[in-house]
Amino acid sequence: MVSIVEVTTRRQLRQFVDFPNQLYKDVPQFVPATYSDDMEDWNRKKNPAFSYCDARCWLAMRGSEIVGRIGAILSHKSNEKWGTNRLRFTQVDFIDDIEVSSALYETVENWARELGCSAVHGPLGFTDMDREGMLVEGFDRRSCFFTYYNHPYYMQHMAALGYVKDVDWVENLISAPEDEKTIARWAKLSAYVQRRQKLHILEVRTRLGYFPLLKPFFQLVNEAYAPLYGTVDLTPAQVKKYSMKFAPLINPKLTCFVLNEQDELVAFGVSAPSIAEALKKSRGRLLPTGWVHVLHAFRKNDTIDLLLIAVRPDLQGKGVNAIILSKVMQGCRKMGIRYAETGPMLEENEKVQTQWQNFPLKQHKRRRCWVKELDAVPSAAAPNESACQ
C-alpha cells in the first residue's frame, strides 16, 4: 500500500532532497545535486521564483519507507508568456513500481485539475536555470551536477501513465583540440570577427573582475534565451541569486566576455572544471568539508562543463561565437583539459548546435520533457481556473 505525504516540515524536506542519494547510491553515473541549493528551492523566503510561482512537493511512502518523491510548480509567468495552461512536475524519483509512480503523478494531476490546468509537463524547474529533462539516452554516462540522472525504467512508467514527448534536449562530449594549427586557426578567425564587428574581449585576472558584469550578464541571458522552450525572464532578485551561485565557478581562463565599442556586453561563454566527482564524494554537501573536493576539482581536472553561452540576437550568425570558442580553447590547452561537456541543448536549436560541428564530438545523452493533456476539469474546480491564467 502506497501513501502520499505532502512535505510540510523541514525534516520531510531533507528526506525529499536526500532521496535520490539513497535511490542511486550504487549507481556510479549518478551525481548529486548541491544539497543546499535544493533545500533553498523550496524555501519561499529564499527562492525569488515564489513571487510568481506556487509549488508543492510530496513523498511516496510504503509503511515507514520512502519509495518516491515528486514536486509540482505552477508558473503563472510561464503560462502567461507562452499562452499555456500547464502545471510543471519537477524533482521526480521513484522505485521500479508502477503503483508508486502512478500515485505520485495522480497527486500532481489532481492538483493541476484543482487549479484549472489543462496539462502537466516536465521535469522542469522554477526557471530555465534549474535542472530540466528526464534522461532517455546515455544511462551509462556520468551525469553533470546541473542535470538529472534517472533509471532507464522511468521511460516505461511515463508511457504507461499516458505521458508523451513534448521536446528533447541533447548533450555532447567534445574533444578539446590539442594541435597548434587548429588553435591558431580559431585565434585568427576570432581576431577577424573582432575587427569586423568592432568587438573586444574583457581581460581580467581574477574572478572579482567579473562582478560588475553579472547584472548585464543575466540581462543578456533574458534576451538571448527568450525564444527557448519554457523560459521566462529572470527577475532582479533571481539575477542576484544566480549571480551568487555562478560567480564562484568562473575561471578567467575558461570564460569569455565580449564587449562592443561602447563596452556593452554582447556575448559570453562560461565554462568551469567539472565538479561531478567532487559532489559525489561529498554527497552534494559543500559544508563542512565538501568545498575541499570542489577546490581540488578546480585545480586538477581533464574535463570542463560548458555552462552557458549567449550572443546578443542582432549579432547571432556573425561569427561572434568563434571569439568565445577560441579563448576557451586556449584556456583548455593551458590547463591540460581534454574534454568539454555541453549542457542540454534543445534538439531543434540549430544555432547553438552548429557551433560544435567543427569539433570531434559524440552526442552521448538525450533528455526529455514529457507532457500529458488532462481530461476536462470537473465543474467543482471551475472557481480555481484563473490560477493558471
Side-chain angles (χ1 to χ4, degrees):
M1 179 71 179
V2 175
S3 60
I4 301 297
V5 178
E6 183 167 4
V7 173
T8 58
T9 69
R10 187 166 179 81
R11 178 177 180 274
Q12 289 172 327
L13 183 58
R14 287 196 296 266
Q15 293 174 322
F16 178 91
V17 169
D18 193 54
F19 178 67
N21 290 325
Q22 308 303 320
L23 185 63
Y24 301 108
K25 63 183 179 180
D26 297 321
V27 179
Q29 294 83 6
F30 169 73
V31 174
T34 307
Y35 181 82
S36 58
D37 286 346
D38 273 12
M39 289 292 291
E40 288 187 4
D41 272 352
W42 299 97
N43 188 325
R44 295 175 183 272
K45 295 180 180 179
K46 293 186 177 181
N47 187 350
F50 277 101
S51 65
Y52 59 84
C53 290
D54 298 313
R56 300 167 70 183
C57 53
W58 299 267
L59 293 168
M61 309 291 297
R62 184 169 278 149
S64 59
E65 181 186 4
I66 299 173
V67 291
R69 68 166 190 169
I70 198 168
I73 301 166
L74 176 61
S75 176
H76 301 279
K77 199 172 181 179
S78 177
N79 280 325
E80 181 179 352
K81 173 182 175 178
W82 296 100
T84 55
N85 194 19
R86 292 176 165 187
L87 183 71
R88 300 177 169 196
F89 70 85
T90 189
Q91 296 185 27
V92 60
D93 288 289
F94 45 83
I95 64 172
D96 190 7
D97 186 326
I98 193 66
E99 182 184 12
V100 175
S101 58
S102 178
L104 288 168
Y105 279 97
E106 183 180 6
T107 300
V108 170
E109 292 163 15
N110 285 341
W111 189 41
R113 292 187 178 95
E114 290 175 13
L115 294 168
C117 293
S118 60
V120 172
H121 69 148
L124 295 165
F126 288 89
T127 78
D128 191 54
M129 306 295 289
D130 299 329
R131 286 165 294 161
E132 54 191 9
M134 182 179 290
L135 195 65
V136 295
E137 293 177 10
F139 300 101
D140 61 333
R141 308 298 301 188
R142 186 183 68 182
S143 187
C144 296
F145 80 95
F146 52 88
T147 58
Y148 290 114
Y149 183 86
N150 55 265
H151 285 301
Y153 62 74
Y154 281 37
M155 292 187 292
Q156 286 72 46
H157 284 248
M158 298 304 292
L161 295 170
Y163 285 80
V164 297
K165 172 185 172 179
D166 201 11
V167 298
D168 275 8
W169 295 266
V170 296
E171 299 170 42
N172 293 332
L173 183 65
I174 301 168
S175 296
E178 298 180 3
D179 61 290
E180 290 289 352
K181 288 184 178 180
T182 298
I183 294 173
R185 186 170 67 249
W186 278 91
K188 185 177 180 180
L189 178 59
S190 171
Y192 169 78
V193 174
Q194 290 182 61
R195 289 195 304 270
R196 183 175 178 83
Q197 302 298 334
K198 298 180 181 180
L199 306 173
H200 61 278
I201 296 173
L202 175 68
E203 299 288 354
V204 298
R205 294 184 178 181
T206 68
R207 293 180 178 87
L208 295 177
Y210 290 122
F211 274 90
L213 280 178
L214 288 175
K215 184 176 180 180
F217 172 95
F218 283 103
Q219 289 173 342
L220 184 54
V221 168
N222 283 340
E223 188 175 1
Y225 286 32
L228 300 182
Y229 180 90
T231 59
V232 295
D233 283 356
L234 299 175
T235 66
Q238 286 175 310
V239 168
K240 182 177 180 180
K241 171 190 173 183
Y242 290 114
S243 294
M244 295 302 101
K245 181 176 180 178
F246 278 95
L249 299 177
I250 293 177
N251 183 315
K253 293 179 182 178
L254 300 173
T255 298
C256 182
F257 287 82
V258 183
L259 312 180
N260 62 13
E261 288 184 300
Q262 292 75 41
D263 284 335
E264 298 169 329
L265 181 67
V266 298
F268 66 80
V270 177
S271 58
S274 172
I275 61 172
E277 284 303 314
L279 290 177
K280 282 183 69 68
K281 291 176 180 178
S282 64
R283 296 179 68 232
R285 289 162 170 81
L286 298 180
L287 297 175
T289 60
W291 274 109
V292 175
H293 301 299
V294 171
L295 291 174
H296 178 74
F298 283 167
R299 290 192 300 267
K300 187 177 181 180
N301 216 312
D302 70 348
T303 303
I304 62 170
D305 292 327
L306 302 174
L307 300 175
L308 290 170
I309 186 169
V311 178
R312 205 169 68 183
D314 62 304
L315 288 171
Q316 292 177 5
K318 297 183 179 181
V320 178
N321 62 318
I323 303 173
I324 298 168
L325 297 179
S326 176
K327 182 167 187 302
V328 174
M329 201 182 306
Q330 293 174 36
C332 287
R333 184 169 179 77
K334 292 176 183 177
M335 297 179 63
I337 299 296
R338 298 179 59 200
Y339 303 103
E341 185 160 3
T342 71
M345 304 173 291
L346 284 167
E347 62 179 348
E348 69 269 19
N349 188 352
E350 295 182 1
K351 289 182 179 179
V352 72
Q353 292 202 52
T354 54
Q355 68 186 337
W356 312 118
Q357 63 186 1
N358 294 316
F359 296 92
L361 60 82
K362 178 181 180 181
Q363 189 248 295
H364 67 150
K365 296 178 199 168
R366 177 182 292 268
R367 55 188 68 250
R368 179 162 297 165
C369 180
W370 303 82
V371 65
K372 180 178 181 179
E373 301 294 332
L374 301 178
D375 298 332
V377 181
S379 57
N384 293 322
E385 286 182 352
S386 62
C388 279
Q389 301 301 318

